[in-house]
Amino acid sequence: MSLKKCVCVFHRAWDRMDATMVETTGEKLLYLTDEQLRQGIEAMFFAYRGFTADPDRILQDLAYGRAHHRAIHFINAQPGTTVNNLLNILGVTKQSLNRVLRTLVEDGLVEQQVGRKDRRERHLFLTEDGRALEARLSDAQRARMRDAYRHAGSDAVVGFRRVLEAMMDPEMRRAYTSLREGKE
Amino acid sequence: MSLKKCVCVFHRAWDRMDATMVETTGEKLLYLTDEQLRQGIEAMFFAYRGFTADPDRILQDLAYGRAHHRAIHFINAQPGTTVNNLLNILGVTKQSLNRVLRTLVEDGLVEQQVGRKDRRERHLFLTEDGRALEARLSDAQRARMRDAYRHAGSDAVVGFRRVLEAMMDPEMRRAYTSLREGKE
DNA sequence: CTTGGAATGTCAACAAGGCTGACATAATGT
DNA sequence: ACATTATGTCAGCCTTGTTGACATTCCAAG
């Protein structure tokens, strides 16, 4: 670890101790007050609301929820993925996923194919209708992401992604990068 | 608007049309493929999971959920806020918030004071215990945020915040900045 | 002053979507 | 043959969102 750290603690007019970390990485200094971190936390909260707002609006007319969106998204990203794989990506129980998956199959948005190599596995695919809905949802979400990127600028985008990736849990980061590599 | 835009659409080996936007801001060029946007969307999904993981672990021992965390967070940020104000910030119905608030009051984490000026209003405050729990929760969340910031670097942090702020809905951004100014 | 809205907050009932636990079925591997 | 794995299903619970009905309080028009 090539960074030298120096942690200073001092009192603020606020309501409790506030740790400020000063860190040197090359010539850069990084001051992180609790207040700045709090702002980051709130930014994350409000941004996630905006992030899901457009798909939520589309889905509520269809009697679907965020759970359906997530399933559709990742089946689209990895056509032919198994139930188990989806479970790991989404981080929910099989009973919970199964309920969502069942409605999607009943409504003709998702197809299940028995595995050729291992016939216990069910490989999941979007049907034509499923892809259509996925396109509607992700178009809306991409539009918002694109606007945000455009407004913030290209340098900001790089930083945005770096912080997000650093914020994931290690297993999540593995799932995330495997998805990225799969797509190339 | 000082930016010149050029939108090119072309076909990819993938599965459907992929719009690439090329945008000039000064000397910067910003290429945004659908694939890059998709990665941003997934990064947001996985990062939010990490973002809430630590508080969730703490809360599940206490029979509380994320809703309680949110309420505690914003009551702490704005002591004396009214139920209505909290409603606007959290974006839920008053009935839903009320249930959470009731348990917090019953458990002695939150106090309600009838408004002096308008006695219909209930002003909300954290008790000693409430502040203690808030500290536990936000310490955990700040630690993750701090690690992510540290790992990503100071330039990345600026970009992270810029993109998040651009991703909020306008009303949310207002709530967000008003909180920031209130704290100064 | 009275009275009818409007604003604020509470209670009750319900739905979505998480969870656990138990169990069935089919396929695989040893 | 037997244990293991992948999946599906049922029952029941919890959190957290929803709507509807209602009580309280304030304010303004008559």
Short mmCIF file of all heavy atoms in Angstrom, two decimals, chain B residues 110-167:
data_model
loop_
_atom_site.label_atom_id
_atom_site.label_comp_id
_atom_site.label_asym_id
_atom_site.label_seq_id
_atom_site.Cartn_x
_atom_site.Cartn_y
_atom_site.Cartn_z
N VAL B 110 -37.64 8.29 18.66
CA VAL B 110 -38.08 9.56 18.09
C VAL B 110 -39.11 10.19 19.02
O VAL B 110 -39.92 9.49 19.63
CB VAL B 110 -38.71 9.33 16.69
CG1 VAL B 110 -39.42 10.59 16.19
CG2 VAL B 110 -37.66 8.89 15.69
N GLU B 111 -39.04 11.51 19.14
CA GLU B 111 -40.04 12.25 19.91
C GLU B 111 -40.84 13.16 19.00
O GLU B 111 -40.29 13.73 18.06
CB GLU B 111 -39.34 13.12 20.97
CG GLU B 111 -39.16 12.43 22.30
CD GLU B 111 -38.46 13.36 23.28
OE1 GLU B 111 -37.91 14.39 22.85
OE2 GLU B 111 -38.48 13.06 24.48
N GLN B 112 -42.14 13.27 19.27
CA GLN B 112 -42.98 14.19 18.52
C GLN B 112 -43.37 15.34 19.41
O GLN B 112 -43.80 15.15 20.54
CB GLN B 112 -44.25 13.48 18.04
CG GLN B 112 -43.98 12.21 17.28
CD GLN B 112 -45.21 11.73 16.53
OE1 GLN B 112 -45.87 12.50 15.84
NE2 GLN B 112 -45.51 10.46 16.66
N GLN B 113 -43.27 16.56 18.88
CA GLN B 113 -43.72 17.73 19.62
C GLN B 113 -44.80 18.43 18.82
O GLN B 113 -44.62 18.73 17.65
CB GLN B 113 -42.55 18.70 19.83
CG GLN B 113 -41.81 18.49 21.13
CD GLN B 113 -40.71 19.52 21.30
OE1 GLN B 113 -40.84 20.64 20.80
NE2 GLN B 113 -39.63 19.13 21.96
N VAL B 114 -45.91 18.68 19.46
CA VAL B 114 -46.98 19.42 18.79
C VAL B 114 -46.47 20.83 18.47
O VAL B 114 -45.83 21.47 19.30
CB VAL B 114 -48.22 19.49 19.71
CG1 VAL B 114 -49.28 20.39 19.10
CG2 VAL B 114 -48.78 18.10 19.95
N GLY B 115 -46.76 21.27 17.24
CA GLY B 115 -46.27 22.57 16.79
C GLY B 115 -46.83 23.71 17.65
O GLY B 115 -47.99 23.68 18.02
N ARG B 116 -45.99 24.68 17.96
CA ARG B 116 -46.46 25.80 18.75
C ARG B 116 -47.28 26.76 17.89
O ARG B 116 -48.34 27.22 18.28
CB ARG B 116 -45.28 26.57 19.34
CG ARG B 116 -44.55 25.82 20.45
CD ARG B 116 -43.55 26.76 21.14
NE ARG B 116 -42.76 27.49 20.15
CZ ARG B 116 -41.67 27.01 19.55
NH1 ARG B 116 -41.23 25.79 19.86
NH2 ARG B 116 -41.00 27.73 18.67
N LYS B 117 -46.80 27.00 16.69
CA LYS B 117 -47.49 27.94 15.81
C LYS B 117 -48.74 27.29 15.23
O LYS B 117 -49.83 27.80 15.33
CB LYS B 117 -46.55 28.39 14.68
CG LYS B 117 -46.70 29.83 14.27
CD LYS B 117 -45.88 30.12 13.01
CE LYS B 117 -46.36 29.29 11.83
NZ LYS B 117 -45.57 29.51 10.60
N ASP B 118 -48.54 26.12 14.64
CA ASP B 118 -49.65 25.36 14.05
C ASP B 118 -49.75 24.03 14.76
O ASP B 118 -48.89 23.17 14.59
CB ASP B 118 -49.40 25.18 12.55
CG ASP B 118 -50.59 24.53 11.86
OD1 ASP B 118 -51.39 23.87 12.55
OD2 ASP B 118 -50.72 24.68 10.64
N ARG B 119 -50.78 23.86 15.56
CA ARG B 119 -50.84 22.68 16.42
C ARG B 119 -51.25 21.43 15.68
O ARG B 119 -51.38 20.36 16.28
CB ARG B 119 -51.74 22.95 17.62
CG ARG B 119 -51.04 23.85 18.63
CD ARG B 119 -51.89 24.24 19.81
NE ARG B 119 -52.94 23.31 20.14
CZ ARG B 119 -53.97 23.61 20.92
NH1 ARG B 119 -54.06 24.83 21.43
NH2 ARG B 119 -54.90 22.72 21.20
N ARG B 120 -51.50 21.54 14.35
CA ARG B 120 -51.71 20.32 13.58
C ARG B 120 -50.39 19.62 13.31
O ARG B 120 -50.32 18.42 13.15
CB ARG B 120 -52.37 20.66 12.25
CG ARG B 120 -53.79 21.14 12.37
CD ARG B 120 -54.30 21.63 11.04
NE ARG B 120 -53.49 22.73 10.52
CZ ARG B 120 -53.77 23.39 9.41
NH1 ARG B 120 -54.81 23.05 8.68
NH2 ARG B 120 -53.01 24.38 9.00
N GLU B 121 -49.33 20.38 13.25
CA GLU B 121 -48.02 19.82 12.89
C GLU B 121 -47.39 19.09 14.06
O GLU B 121 -47.56 19.49 15.22
CB GLU B 121 -47.08 20.94 12.42
CG GLU B 121 -47.53 21.63 11.15
CD GLU B 121 -46.58 22.75 10.77
OE1 GLU B 121 -45.87 23.25 11.66
OE2 GLU B 121 -46.56 23.12 9.58
N ARG B 122 -46.67 18.02 13.73
CA ARG B 122 -45.86 17.32 14.73
C ARG B 122 -44.39 17.49 14.34
O ARG B 122 -44.00 17.12 13.23
CB ARG B 122 -46.20 15.83 14.75
CG ARG B 122 -47.62 15.53 15.07
CD ARG B 122 -48.01 15.93 16.48
NE ARG B 122 -49.30 16.64 16.47
CZ ARG B 122 -50.48 16.06 16.64
NH1 ARG B 122 -50.55 14.79 16.86
NH2 ARG B 122 -51.58 16.78 16.62
N HIS B 123 -43.63 18.10 15.22
CA HIS B 123 -42.20 18.27 14.96
C HIS B 123 -41.44 17.06 15.50
O HIS B 123 -41.70 16.61 16.60
CB HIS B 123 -41.70 19.56 15.59
CG HIS B 123 -42.34 20.78 15.03
ND1 HIS B 123 -41.93 21.36 13.86
CD2 HIS B 123 -43.41 21.50 15.45
CE1 HIS B 123 -42.70 22.40 13.60
NE2 HIS B 123 -43.62 22.52 14.55
N LEU B 124 -40.51 16.57 14.69
CA LEU B 124 -39.85 15.30 15.00
C LEU B 124 -38.40 15.52 15.45
O LEU B 124 -37.67 16.31 14.84
CB LEU B 124 -39.88 14.41 13.75
CG LEU B 124 -41.28 14.14 13.20
CD1 LEU B 124 -41.22 13.49 11.84
CD2 LEU B 124 -42.08 13.29 14.18
N PHE B 125 -38.04 14.82 16.50
CA PHE B 125 -36.68 14.89 17.03
C PHE B 125 -36.20 13.49 17.37
O PHE B 125 -37.00 12.64 17.76
CB PHE B 125 -36.65 15.75 18.29
CG PHE B 125 -37.12 17.15 18.10
CD1 PHE B 125 -38.47 17.47 18.23
CD2 PHE B 125 -36.21 18.16 17.78
CE1 PHE B 125 -38.91 18.78 18.05
CE2 PHE B 125 -36.66 19.46 17.60
CZ PHE B 125 -38.00 19.77 17.73
N LEU B 126 -34.90 13.28 17.26
CA LEU B 126 -34.33 12.03 17.76
C LEU B 126 -34.08 12.16 19.25
O LEU B 126 -33.64 13.20 19.73
CB LEU B 126 -33.00 11.73 17.04
CG LEU B 126 -33.07 11.38 15.56
CD1 LEU B 126 -31.69 10.97 15.06
CD2 LEU B 126 -34.08 10.27 15.30
N THR B 127 -34.35 11.08 19.97
CA THR B 127 -33.98 11.03 21.38
C THR B 127 -32.50 10.66 21.47
O THR B 127 -31.83 10.46 20.45
CB THR B 127 -34.80 9.96 22.12
OG1 THR B 127 -34.47 8.69 21.57
CG2 THR B 127 -36.27 10.22 21.97
N GLU B 128 -32.03 10.53 22.69
CA GLU B 128 -30.64 10.10 22.90
C GLU B 128 -30.40 8.75 22.21
O GLU B 128 -29.43 8.58 21.46
CB GLU B 128 -30.37 9.99 24.40
CG GLU B 128 -28.91 9.95 24.76
CD GLU B 128 -28.21 11.24 24.33
OE1 GLU B 128 -28.83 12.32 24.40
OE2 GLU B 128 -27.04 11.13 23.90
N ASP B 129 -31.31 7.81 22.45
CA ASP B 129 -31.19 6.49 21.84
C ASP B 129 -31.24 6.58 20.32
O ASP B 129 -30.54 5.85 19.62
CB ASP B 129 -32.32 5.57 22.33
CG ASP B 129 -32.12 5.14 23.79
OD1 ASP B 129 -31.05 5.47 24.34
OD2 ASP B 129 -33.02 4.50 24.34
N GLY B 130 -32.12 7.44 19.83
CA GLY B 130 -32.25 7.61 18.39
C GLY B 130 -30.95 8.10 17.78
O GLY B 130 -30.50 7.59 16.74
N ARG B 131 -30.34 9.07 18.43
CA ARG B 131 -29.06 9.59 17.92
C ARG B 131 -27.99 8.51 17.96
O ARG B 131 -27.14 8.44 17.08
CB ARG B 131 -28.63 10.82 18.72
CG ARG B 131 -29.31 12.10 18.24
CD ARG B 131 -28.62 13.33 18.80
NE ARG B 131 -28.74 13.38 20.27
CZ ARG B 131 -29.78 13.88 20.90
NH1 ARG B 131 -30.79 14.39 20.22
NH2 ARG B 131 -29.83 13.89 22.21
N ALA B 132 -28.06 7.67 18.99
CA ALA B 132 -27.06 6.60 19.10
C ALA B 132 -27.19 5.63 17.93
O ALA B 132 -26.19 5.26 17.31
CB ALA B 132 -27.25 5.85 20.42
N LEU B 133 -28.44 5.25 17.61
CA LEU B 133 -28.64 4.33 16.49
C LEU B 133 -28.24 5.00 15.17
O LEU B 133 -27.58 4.39 14.34
CB LEU B 133 -30.10 3.88 16.42
CG LEU B 133 -30.42 2.96 15.25
CD1 LEU B 133 -29.53 1.73 15.23
CD2 LEU B 133 -31.90 2.54 15.27
N GLU B 134 -28.62 6.25 15.04
CA GLU B 134 -28.25 6.99 13.82
C GLU B 134 -26.74 6.97 13.64
O GLU B 134 -26.24 6.76 12.54
CB GLU B 134 -28.78 8.43 13.90
CG GLU B 134 -28.81 9.18 12.58
CD GLU B 134 -27.44 9.69 12.17
OE1 GLU B 134 -26.59 9.93 13.06
OE2 GLU B 134 -27.19 9.85 10.96
N ALA B 135 -26.04 7.17 14.74
CA ALA B 135 -24.58 7.20 14.66
C ALA B 135 -24.04 5.85 14.21
O ALA B 135 -23.16 5.77 13.35
CB ALA B 135 -23.99 7.58 16.02
N ARG B 136 -24.60 4.78 14.78
CA ARG B 136 -24.15 3.44 14.39
C ARG B 136 -24.34 3.23 12.90
O ARG B 136 -23.46 2.74 12.20
CB ARG B 136 -24.98 2.37 15.13
CG ARG B 136 -24.35 1.84 16.38
CD ARG B 136 -25.19 0.71 16.94
NE ARG B 136 -24.97 -0.57 16.28
CZ ARG B 136 -25.77 -1.62 16.39
NH1 ARG B 136 -26.87 -1.53 17.11
NH2 ARG B 136 -25.49 -2.74 15.76
N LEU B 137 -25.55 3.58 12.44
CA LEU B 137 -25.88 3.34 11.04
C LEU B 137 -25.02 4.18 10.11
O LEU B 137 -24.46 3.69 9.13
CB LEU B 137 -27.36 3.65 10.79
CG LEU B 137 -28.36 2.73 11.49
CD1 LEU B 137 -29.76 3.29 11.39
CD2 LEU B 137 -28.28 1.34 10.89
N SER B 138 -24.93 5.45 10.42
CA SER B 138 -24.24 6.32 9.46
C SER B 138 -22.73 6.14 9.56
O SER B 138 -22.02 6.37 8.58
CB SER B 138 -24.64 7.78 9.67
OG SER B 138 -24.15 8.26 10.88
N ASP B 139 -22.25 5.70 10.71
CA ASP B 139 -20.82 5.38 10.78
C ASP B 139 -20.48 4.27 9.79
O ASP B 139 -19.50 4.35 9.05
CB ASP B 139 -20.43 4.94 12.20
CG ASP B 139 -20.26 6.14 13.13
OD1 ASP B 139 -20.32 7.28 12.64
OD2 ASP B 139 -20.08 5.92 14.34
N ALA B 140 -21.34 3.24 9.79
CA ALA B 140 -21.09 2.12 8.88
C ALA B 140 -21.16 2.58 7.43
O ALA B 140 -20.29 2.24 6.62
CB ALA B 140 -22.12 1.02 9.13
N GLN B 141 -22.17 3.38 7.14
CA GLN B 141 -22.35 3.82 5.76
C GLN B 141 -21.24 4.78 5.33
O GLN B 141 -20.75 4.72 4.21
CB GLN B 141 -23.72 4.48 5.59
CG GLN B 141 -24.28 4.37 4.21
CD GLN B 141 -25.78 4.55 4.18
OE1 GLN B 141 -26.36 5.20 5.03
NE2 GLN B 141 -26.41 3.98 3.18
N ARG B 142 -20.85 5.65 6.26
CA ARG B 142 -19.77 6.58 5.94
C ARG B 142 -18.46 5.84 5.72
O ARG B 142 -17.67 6.21 4.86
CB ARG B 142 -19.61 7.61 7.05
CG ARG B 142 -20.49 8.83 6.86
CD ARG B 142 -19.95 10.00 7.64
NE ARG B 142 -19.80 9.64 9.05
CZ ARG B 142 -20.76 9.83 9.95
NH1 ARG B 142 -21.90 10.37 9.60
NH2 ARG B 142 -20.58 9.48 11.19
N ALA B 143 -18.26 4.79 6.51
CA ALA B 143 -17.01 4.04 6.35
C ALA B 143 -16.91 3.47 4.94
O ALA B 143 -15.85 3.54 4.30
CB ALA B 143 -16.95 2.91 7.39
N ARG B 144 -18.04 2.94 4.45
CA ARG B 144 -18.01 2.39 3.09
C ARG B 144 -17.79 3.49 2.07
O ARG B 144 -17.02 3.35 1.13
CB ARG B 144 -19.30 1.66 2.78
CG ARG B 144 -19.30 1.00 1.42
CD ARG B 144 -20.57 0.28 1.14
NE ARG B 144 -20.72 -0.94 1.90
CZ ARG B 144 -20.46 -2.15 1.40
NH1 ARG B 144 -20.03 -2.28 0.17
NH2 ARG B 144 -20.62 -3.20 2.14
N MET B 145 -18.50 4.59 2.27
CA MET B 145 -18.37 5.72 1.34
C MET B 145 -16.93 6.24 1.34
O MET B 145 -16.36 6.52 0.30
CB MET B 145 -19.35 6.80 1.79
CG MET B 145 -19.52 7.97 0.85
SD MET B 145 -20.30 7.57 -0.73
CE MET B 145 -22.00 7.45 -0.24
N ARG B 146 -16.36 6.32 2.54
CA ARG B 146 -15.00 6.82 2.67
C ARG B 146 -14.01 5.90 1.94
O ARG B 146 -13.15 6.37 1.20
CB ARG B 146 -14.64 6.93 4.15
CG ARG B 146 -13.27 7.54 4.42
CD ARG B 146 -13.20 8.15 5.80
NE ARG B 146 -13.94 7.36 6.79
CZ ARG B 146 -14.65 7.88 7.78
NH1 ARG B 146 -14.74 9.18 7.93
NH2 ARG B 146 -15.28 7.10 8.64
N ASP B 147 -14.19 4.60 2.14
CA ASP B 147 -13.30 3.65 1.48
C ASP B 147 -13.43 3.76 -0.04
O ASP B 147 -12.43 3.73 -0.76
CB ASP B 147 -13.63 2.22 1.92
CG ASP B 147 -13.17 1.96 3.35
OD1 ASP B 147 -12.44 2.82 3.89
OD2 ASP B 147 -13.53 0.91 3.91
N ALA B 148 -14.67 3.90 -0.49
CA ALA B 148 -14.89 4.01 -1.94
C ALA B 148 -14.23 5.27 -2.48
O ALA B 148 -13.55 5.24 -3.51
CB ALA B 148 -16.39 4.02 -2.24
N TYR B 149 -14.42 6.37 -1.77
CA TYR B 149 -13.81 7.64 -2.18
C TYR B 149 -12.30 7.52 -2.23
O TYR B 149 -11.65 7.94 -3.17
CB TYR B 149 -14.19 8.75 -1.20
CG TYR B 149 -15.54 9.38 -1.43
CD1 TYR B 149 -16.44 8.88 -2.37
CD2 TYR B 149 -15.94 10.51 -0.70
CE1 TYR B 149 -17.68 9.47 -2.56
CE2 TYR B 149 -17.17 11.10 -0.89
CZ TYR B 149 -18.03 10.58 -1.81
OH TYR B 149 -19.25 11.18 -2.00
N ARG B 150 -11.76 6.93 -1.17
CA ARG B 150 -10.32 6.81 -1.04
C ARG B 150 -9.76 5.97 -2.17
O ARG B 150 -8.74 6.29 -2.78
CB ARG B 150 -9.98 6.17 0.30
CG ARG B 150 -8.71 6.64 0.90
CD ARG B 150 -8.65 6.28 2.34
NE ARG B 150 -9.03 4.89 2.59
CZ ARG B 150 -8.89 4.31 3.77
NH1 ARG B 150 -8.38 4.99 4.78
NH2 ARG B 150 -9.25 3.07 3.94
N HIS B 151 -10.48 4.91 -2.46
CA HIS B 151 -10.01 3.99 -3.49
C HIS B 151 -10.10 4.62 -4.87
O HIS B 151 -9.26 4.39 -5.74
CB HIS B 151 -10.85 2.71 -3.45
CG HIS B 151 -10.26 1.57 -4.20
ND1 HIS B 151 -10.51 1.34 -5.53
CD2 HIS B 151 -9.39 0.61 -3.81
CE1 HIS B 151 -9.84 0.28 -5.92
NE2 HIS B 151 -9.15 -0.19 -4.90
N ALA B 152 -11.13 5.44 -5.06
CA ALA B 152 -11.37 6.01 -6.39
C ALA B 152 -10.56 7.28 -6.62
O ALA B 152 -10.26 7.61 -7.77
CB ALA B 152 -12.85 6.28 -6.58
N GLY B 153 -10.23 7.99 -5.56
CA GLY B 153 -9.45 9.21 -5.71
C GLY B 153 -10.30 10.46 -5.75
O GLY B 153 -11.50 10.41 -6.00
N SER B 154 -9.67 11.60 -5.48
CA SER B 154 -10.43 12.83 -5.27
C SER B 154 -11.09 13.32 -6.56
O SER B 154 -12.20 13.86 -6.53
CB SER B 154 -9.53 13.93 -4.70
OG SER B 154 -8.45 14.15 -5.57
N ASP B 155 -10.44 13.15 -7.69
CA ASP B 155 -11.05 13.58 -8.95
C ASP B 155 -12.32 12.79 -9.22
O ASP B 155 -13.33 13.33 -9.66
CB ASP B 155 -10.08 13.36 -10.12
CG ASP B 155 -8.90 14.31 -10.04
OD1 ASP B 155 -8.99 15.29 -9.26
OD2 ASP B 155 -7.91 14.08 -10.74
N ALA B 156 -12.25 11.49 -8.93
CA ALA B 156 -13.39 10.63 -9.16
C ALA B 156 -14.58 11.07 -8.31
O ALA B 156 -15.73 11.04 -8.76
CB ALA B 156 -13.05 9.18 -8.85
N VAL B 157 -14.29 11.51 -7.08
CA VAL B 157 -15.36 11.91 -6.18
C VAL B 157 -16.15 13.07 -6.76
O VAL B 157 -17.39 13.09 -6.73
CB VAL B 157 -14.80 12.29 -4.79
CG1 VAL B 157 -15.88 12.92 -3.93
CG2 VAL B 157 -14.21 11.07 -4.12
N VAL B 158 -15.45 14.04 -7.32
CA VAL B 158 -16.13 15.19 -7.93
C VAL B 158 -17.06 14.72 -9.04
O VAL B 158 -18.22 15.13 -9.13
CB VAL B 158 -15.10 16.20 -8.47
CG1 VAL B 158 -15.79 17.33 -9.21
CG2 VAL B 158 -14.24 16.72 -7.33
N GLY B 159 -16.54 13.85 -9.90
CA GLY B 159 -17.36 13.35 -11.00
C GLY B 159 -18.55 12.54 -10.51
O GLY B 159 -19.65 12.67 -11.03
N PHE B 160 -18.30 11.73 -9.51
CA PHE B 160 -19.36 10.91 -8.91
C PHE B 160 -20.53 11.78 -8.49
O PHE B 160 -21.68 11.55 -8.87
CB PHE B 160 -18.76 10.16 -7.72
CG PHE B 160 -19.74 9.46 -6.82
CD1 PHE B 160 -20.40 8.32 -7.25
CD2 PHE B 160 -19.97 9.92 -5.54
CE1 PHE B 160 -21.27 7.66 -6.40
CE2 PHE B 160 -20.84 9.27 -4.70
CZ PHE B 160 -21.50 8.14 -5.13
N ARG B 161 -20.22 12.82 -7.75
CA ARG B 161 -21.27 13.70 -7.25
C ARG B 161 -21.98 14.43 -8.39
O ARG B 161 -23.20 14.62 -8.36
CB ARG B 161 -20.67 14.71 -6.27
CG ARG B 161 -20.24 14.10 -4.95
CD ARG B 161 -21.44 13.84 -4.08
NE ARG B 161 -22.11 15.07 -3.78
CZ ARG B 161 -21.75 15.89 -2.80
NH1 ARG B 161 -20.79 15.54 -1.99
NH2 ARG B 161 -22.38 17.02 -2.60
N ARG B 162 -21.22 14.83 -9.39
CA ARG B 162 -21.84 15.56 -10.50
C ARG B 162 -22.84 14.69 -11.23
O ARG B 162 -23.94 15.13 -11.56
CB ARG B 162 -20.76 16.03 -11.48
CG ARG B 162 -19.98 17.22 -11.01
CD ARG B 162 -18.73 17.40 -11.84
NE ARG B 162 -19.00 18.02 -13.12
CZ ARG B 162 -18.85 19.32 -13.34
NH1 ARG B 162 -18.46 20.10 -12.36
NH2 ARG B 162 -19.10 19.82 -14.52
N VAL B 163 -22.47 13.45 -11.50
CA VAL B 163 -23.38 12.56 -12.22
C VAL B 163 -24.61 12.26 -11.37
O VAL B 163 -25.75 12.29 -11.85
CB VAL B 163 -22.68 11.25 -12.64
CG1 VAL B 163 -23.68 10.29 -13.26
CG2 VAL B 163 -21.56 11.55 -13.62
N LEU B 164 -24.39 11.98 -10.08
CA LEU B 164 -25.54 11.68 -9.22
C LEU B 164 -26.52 12.84 -9.19
O LEU B 164 -27.73 12.65 -9.28
CB LEU B 164 -25.07 11.37 -7.80
CG LEU B 164 -24.40 10.04 -7.55
CD1 LEU B 164 -24.25 9.79 -6.06
CD2 LEU B 164 -25.16 8.88 -8.17
N GLU B 165 -25.99 14.04 -9.06
CA GLU B 165 -26.88 15.20 -8.98
C GLU B 165 -27.64 15.39 -10.29
O GLU B 165 -28.80 15.80 -10.30
CB GLU B 165 -26.08 16.45 -8.62
CG GLU B 165 -25.70 16.47 -7.15
CD GLU B 165 -24.66 17.53 -6.79
OE1 GLU B 165 -24.55 18.53 -7.52
OE2 GLU B 165 -23.95 17.33 -5.79
N ALA B 166 -26.98 15.07 -11.40
CA ALA B 166 -27.65 15.20 -12.69
C ALA B 166 -28.69 14.11 -12.89
O ALA B 166 -29.59 14.25 -13.72
CB ALA B 166 -26.62 15.15 -13.82
N MET B 167 -28.59 13.04 -12.14
CA MET B 167 -29.50 11.92 -12.33
C MET B 167 -30.79 12.08 -11.53
O MET B 167 -31.78 11.40 -11.78
CB MET B 167 -28.81 10.61 -11.93
CG MET B 167 -29.47 9.38 -12.48
SD MET B 167 -28.31 8.06 -12.78
CE MET B 167 -27.31 8.14 -11.31
#
